[in-house]
Amino acid sequence: MTKRPTIRDVAALAGVSVATVSRVLSGDYPVAGATRTRVQRAVRELDYVVNAHARALSGTTSKVVALVVREVVSPFYARIAAGVEEQATEAHRLCLVCTTHGDPDRELEVIKLMREQQADAVILVGGVVENADYRERMYRYAQGLEDAGTRLVLCGRPSLGPDFPAISVEYDNAGGAFAATSQLLSGGHRRIAMLAGEPGLTTSDERIDGYRRAMAAFGAPIDPALIRHGWMSHEEGRRHVRELLAGRTAFTAIFAANDQMAAGALMELRAAGLRCPEDVSIIGYDDSPFAQDLWPALNSVHVPLDELGRTAVRLALAKSTGAPSRQQVMLGTHVVIRNSVRPATR
Amino acid sequence: MTKRPTIRDVAALAGVSVATVSRVLSGDYPVAGATRTRVQRAVRELDYVVNAHARALSGTTSKVVALVVREVVSPFYARIAAGVEEQATEAHRLCLVCTTHGDPDRELEVIKLMREQQADAVILVGGVVENADYRERMYRYAQGLEDAGTRLVLCGRPSLGPDFPAISVEYDNAGGAFAATSQLLSGGHRRIAMLAGEPGLTTSDERIDGYRRAMAAFGAPIDPALIRHGWMSHEEGRRHVRELLAGRTAFTAIFAANDQMAAGALMELRAAGLRCPEDVSIIGYDDSPFAQDLWPALNSVHVPLDELGRTAVRLALAKSTGAPSRQQVMLGTHVVIRNSVRPATR
DNA sequence: CTGTTAGCGCTTTCAA
DNA sequence: TTGAAAGCGCTAACAG
């Protein structure tokens, strides 16, 4: 491994000064055509590439966008990540990905790392449990990042208020839940089971909220026994239905807070000899890719995940163009109609 | 936004030299207890974090591992990515993610960026079309990266030979296909349709190879009409089955080169009034998370994707411990048995 | 249009 | 155990 060439090597070979080399490299500076050609040849000859760290150190931005998610293997996060990555690439930024596994300590550590990297933006993705010190913690993060010249973006997670020093990009979570529940209700369903996440998890809580509002709007009574909490997984979806069935709690439809749970519910229903949508209607949330591959294809609330990611990056990088560092935008959601819902017969 | 504090600020506040601060920060150097405490207090007081670029510039490694995938939204890549991210975190490395969308030019650009970043390792993930200049291109990459002190790892993609300056971490792709086909064959199936990817795509080609070998081993004739090529998607899976059915090409089982295609095939079969596994058995590949959520739950070839990712990082970073920079390892695959396969009746 | 030079913030000898 | 000082490779004034 020979030592990698530096800008001085290029300068020497091209017979110019390092400043000149730097100029032709960055492109935005008048340099004589002949000189430029000479430098470019030298660059190619030496197979030279700039040292990003040296460049970042001497002033210019680091050209890095950081994405902080709970898990990498999750269609939900993955689609946001894809949006972030695309937009970052478009803006000539590199994309750092970190996971927290929902651990606040890990989150803290990750944010610190991002400050060290002087990332242009840190995008925090997905729902959280808003416990006691969450707000305060976020506030400290925002502070520290701002000092490092880094924009903080909350993506798919409720804004902490207009005064909070961060950008927030949300989607109409409760609205989607309202629409989904309404679809069931207008089909005549009244006993609608709601499969939700852990209490306190923002994503889930907002979905429950939409469910409640729709029920109220249609004058349908809310039976607490129909609202089920747990880990938002396929397995848990099965468990909820199993217990509902065992407890002889009547229901003609299910609204699941995500598609995994809906798929689990579907499977357990089938195992119990119940058909969907003939006996029970189901509607999920997130419009995961596999929703249309199920049988019956699953109605679900579509969330513009990649748009969420793209918007997060766009807003964060608008810094240069003088956009405010604290703002909130909300993207719409809508129900995708497939084959898992049918009017109530009982 | 106040200027962020530097090591000098900390030194000043703690009343020591920058060298001392640097020492307590890196930890691995004898420093008097009292001094250390003083420095740490100053760090906390100023909310100081090191500048990663400055640190990287002054010699030490950049602590970054780069992951280059085709797409972010793909369970296949996502699971490898998860493994890479985990292991990278464990090794105190940050994880850069880039996508190529299968475009060689973009790949070239990404590799250049990684050289600029002086990443510790660049992990190239997933199958490729090994066309004419692919080898040569890879060789150039490897060269350039080695000069930058960066390890190149080919992950889930065939090694370019033991002399090639890169690490390769593969899985037994053909072996898995052989096992899957064998399962069908030993159930008495002889007319087995193979749903594959574009010709030339390494992943797909190796799976076809395993299929052929198994067919040969069981003395089953290979009907070219049963081997179908295309984009490896759900849609295409449906199309293949539709065309097979329309062309009246007899088959009692399907081996799909990935689970998406298997799911599509399953759906089209059902639409045509055929049952799985009663009428047609299906087996997929990759053991994607949704495979067990289908009805019937799908038999599939399990690929240790996260282990693949972890191994890639582990090997790449073993540099320090003096591991060779060129080696090949292969991880095993196995068939996961669920409910989509049944002995042939016709 | 081009060259000189002073840092950017940190690590790391070499001395003390 | 601590400090002084020389870079790491690049950019950005400031001169010419």
Side-chain angles (χ1 to χ4, degrees):
Chain A
M1 161 185 159
T2 66
K3 190 97 193 63
R4 71 183 271 178
T6 76
I7 198 173
R8 318 179 80 99
D9 300 319
V10 178
L13 182 56
V16 297
S17 73
V18 292
T20 302
V21 176
S22 174
R23 281 165 191 142
V24 350
L25 255 36
S26 46
D28 53 357
Y29 202 92
V31 174
T35 316
R36 152 165 292 118
T37 318
R38 210 133 37 80
V39 170
Q40 287 169 335
R41 180 166 39 244
V43 165
R44 220 163 313 123
E45 192 145 330
L46 294 170
D47 192 21
Y48 166 84
V49 292
V50 297
N51 180 323
H53 301 299
R55 176 173 278 181
L57 184 56
S58 57
T60 346
T61 160
S62 79
K63 301 283 191 190
V64 168
V65 164
L67 178 63
V68 182
V69 298
R70 231 181 136 99
E71 314 286 346
V72 173
V73 247
S74 143
F76 185 86
Y77 294 119
R79 277 160 66 206
I80 294 184
V84 167
E85 198 276 340
E86 269 180 38
Q87 190 69 32
T89 299
E90 214 161 278
H92 302 291
R93 297 297 197 288
L94 253 21
C95 188
L96 272 169
V97 176
C98 301
T99 59
T100 62
H101 301 291
D103 175 7
D105 290 344
R106 172 75 191 143
E107 188 174 77
L108 180 60
E109 195 180 336
V110 163
I111 301 258
K112 182 178 161 222
L113 286 171
M114 268 36 281
R115 287 217 277 154
E116 297 183 357
Q117 294 294 328
Q118 315 209 87
D120 293 322
V122 169
I123 302 174
L124 255 36
V125 173
V128 280
V129 177
E130 283 195 327
N131 58 29
D133 47 27
Y134 166 76
R135 269 192 79 93
E136 196 218 338
R137 179 153 44 90
M138 278 302 136
Y139 204 86
R140 271 213 315 283
Y141 290 171
Q143 211 79 70
L145 288 169
E146 192 163 56
D147 289 354
T150 300
R151 285 274 169 94
L152 176 62
V153 185
L154 269 26
C155 187
R157 158 183 315 201
S159 152
L160 262 29
D163 298 330
F164 190 79
I167 295 170
S168 95
V169 182
E170 308 170 67
Y171 56 92
D172 191 2
N173 201 359
F178 183 92
T181 313
S182 296
Q183 200 207 5
L184 261 11
L185 286 160
S186 54
H189 294 279
R190 284 298 175 274
R191 301 282 305 166
I192 304 175
M194 162 94 218
L195 275 31
E198 318 153 55
L201 184 66
T202 55
T203 339
S204 168
D205 282 357
E206 294 180 348
R207 291 173 191 186
I208 293 178
D209 184 49
Y211 164 83
R212 288 182 183 284
R213 288 199 346 247
M215 291 295 270
F218 278 75
I222 292 177
D223 180 353
L226 285 175
I227 303 186
R228 318 265 324 172
H229 292 277
W231 185 239
M232 289 167 69
S233 68
H234 182 88
E235 268 318 309
E236 288 282 275
R238 295 194 66 158
R239 184 175 63 80
H240 290 316
V241 169
R242 198 179 318 126
E243 294 180 2
L244 243 19
L245 255 23
R248 325 194 107 269
T249 315
F251 62 93
T252 64
I254 295 174
F255 170 40
N258 75 6
D259 292 334
Q260 276 96 325
M261 283 201 291
L266 184 62
M267 181 169 283
E268 190 65 27
L269 241 27
R270 185 138 36 197
L274 259 21
R275 293 159 309 162
C276 171
E278 292 81 353
D279 302 315
V280 176
S281 289
I282 301 186
I283 185 162
Y285 212 116
D286 292 346
D287 190 20
S288 316
F290 70 82
Q292 56 184 303
D293 302 347
L294 294 177
W295 188 267
L298 190 68
N299 285 34
S300 187
V301 178
H302 180 81
V303 180
L305 295 176
D306 51 358
E307 195 50 37
L308 221 56
R310 301 186 78 103
T311 306
V313 174
R314 200 175 318 119
L315 259 34
L317 298 184
K319 171 166 41 182
S320 38
T321 65
S325 75
R326 49 192 75 187
Q327 56 179 310
Q328 307 169 229
V329 325
M330 179 170 292
L331 272 35
T333 51
H334 64 267
V335 175
V336 177
I337 297 184
R338 299 203 179 89
N339 307 315
S340 64
V341 172
R342 179 169 299 187
T345 53
R346 311 178 234 165
Chain B
M1 163 185 156
T2 64
K3 193 95 191 60
R4 71 183 271 179
T6 76
I7 198 173
R8 316 180 80 97
D9 299 319
V10 177
L13 182 57
V16 297
S17 73
V18 293
T20 304
V21 176
S22 173
R23 282 164 191 144
V24 350
L25 255 35
S26 46
D28 53 358
Y29 201 91
V31 174
T35 316
R36 152 166 290 121
T37 317
R38 210 131 40 80
V39 170
Q40 287 168 335
R41 181 167 38 245
V43 165
R44 219 163 313 123
E45 192 145 329
L46 295 170
D47 193 21
Y48 166 84
V49 292
V50 296
N51 180 323
H53 301 300
R55 175 172 281 181
L57 184 55
S58 54
T60 348
T61 161
S62 78
K63 300 283 189 188
V64 167
V65 164
L67 179 64
V68 182
V69 299
R70 232 180 136 102
E71 314 286 346
V72 173
V73 248
S74 145
F76 185 86
Y77 295 120
R79 277 161 65 205
I80 293 184
V84 167
E85 198 276 339
E86 268 179 41
Q87 189 70 33
T89 299
E90 215 162 278
H92 301 290
R93 298 296 199 285
L94 253 20
C95 187
L96 271 169
V97 176
C98 301
T99 59
T100 62
H101 301 291
D103 175 7
D105 290 343
R106 171 73 192 144
E107 187 174 78
L108 180 60
E109 196 180 333
V110 162
I111 301 257
K112 181 177 162 224
L113 286 172
M114 268 35 285
R115 286 218 276 154
E116 296 183 357
Q117 294 294 326
Q118 316 210 87
D120 294 322
V122 169
I123 302 174
L124 255 36
V125 173
V128 280
V129 177
E130 284 195 327
N131 58 31
D133 47 26
Y134 166 77
R135 268 193 79 95
E136 195 218 339
R137 179 153 44 90
M138 279 301 136
Y139 204 86
R140 270 214 314 285
Y141 290 170
Q143 211 79 70
L145 288 169
E146 191 163 56
D147 288 355
T150 299
R151 285 272 169 94
L152 176 62
V153 184
L154 269 27
C155 187
R157 155 183 319 201
S159 152
L160 262 31
D163 298 331
F164 190 80
I167 294 170
S168 95
V169 182
E170 308 170 68
Y171 55 92
D172 190 3
N173 202 0
F178 183 92
T181 313
S182 297
Q183 200 206 5
L184 260 13
L185 286 161
S186 54
H189 295 278
R190 283 299 175 273
R191 302 282 305 166
I192 303 174
M194 163 94 216
L195 275 32
E198 319 153 55
L201 184 65
T202 53
T203 338
S204 168
D205 282 357
E206 293 180 349
R207 290 174 191 186
I208 294 177
D209 184 49
Y211 164 84
R212 287 183 184 284
R213 286 198 349 246
M215 292 294 271
F218 278 74
I222 291 176
D223 179 353
L226 286 175
I227 302 186
R228 320 263 326 170
H229 292 276
W231 185 239
M232 288 165 69
S233 69
H234 181 88
E235 268 319 308
E236 288 283 275
R238 296 194 65 157
R239 184 175 63 80
H240 289 316
V241 169
R242 198 179 319 126
E243 293 179 4
L244 243 19
L245 255 22
R248 325 194 108 270
T249 314
F251 62 94
T252 65
I254 296 173
F255 171 40
N258 75 6
D259 292 333
Q260 276 97 323
M261 284 201 291
L266 184 62
M267 181 170 283
E268 191 65 26
L269 240 27
R270 184 137 37 195
L274 259 22
R275 291 160 309 163
C276 170
E278 292 80 354
D279 301 316
V280 177
S281 289
I282 301 185
I283 185 161
Y285 212 114
D286 292 346
D287 189 21
S288 315
F290 69 83
Q292 56 184 305
D293 302 348
L294 295 176
W295 187 267
L298 190 68
N299 285 36
S300 187
V301 178
H302 180 81
V303 181
L305 295 175
D306 50 357
E307 196 49 37
L308 221 54
R310 301 187 77 104
T311 305
V313 174
R314 199 173 321 118
L315 258 36
L317 297 184
K319 169 165 44 180
S320 39
T321 64
S325 74
R326 49 193 75 186
Q327 56 179 312
Q328 308 169 228
V329 326
M330 178 168 296
L331 271 34
T333 52
H334 64 267
V335 175
V336 176
I337 298 184
R338 299 202 179 89
N339 307 315
S340 65
V341 171
R342 182 169 296 188
T345 53
R346 316 176 233 169

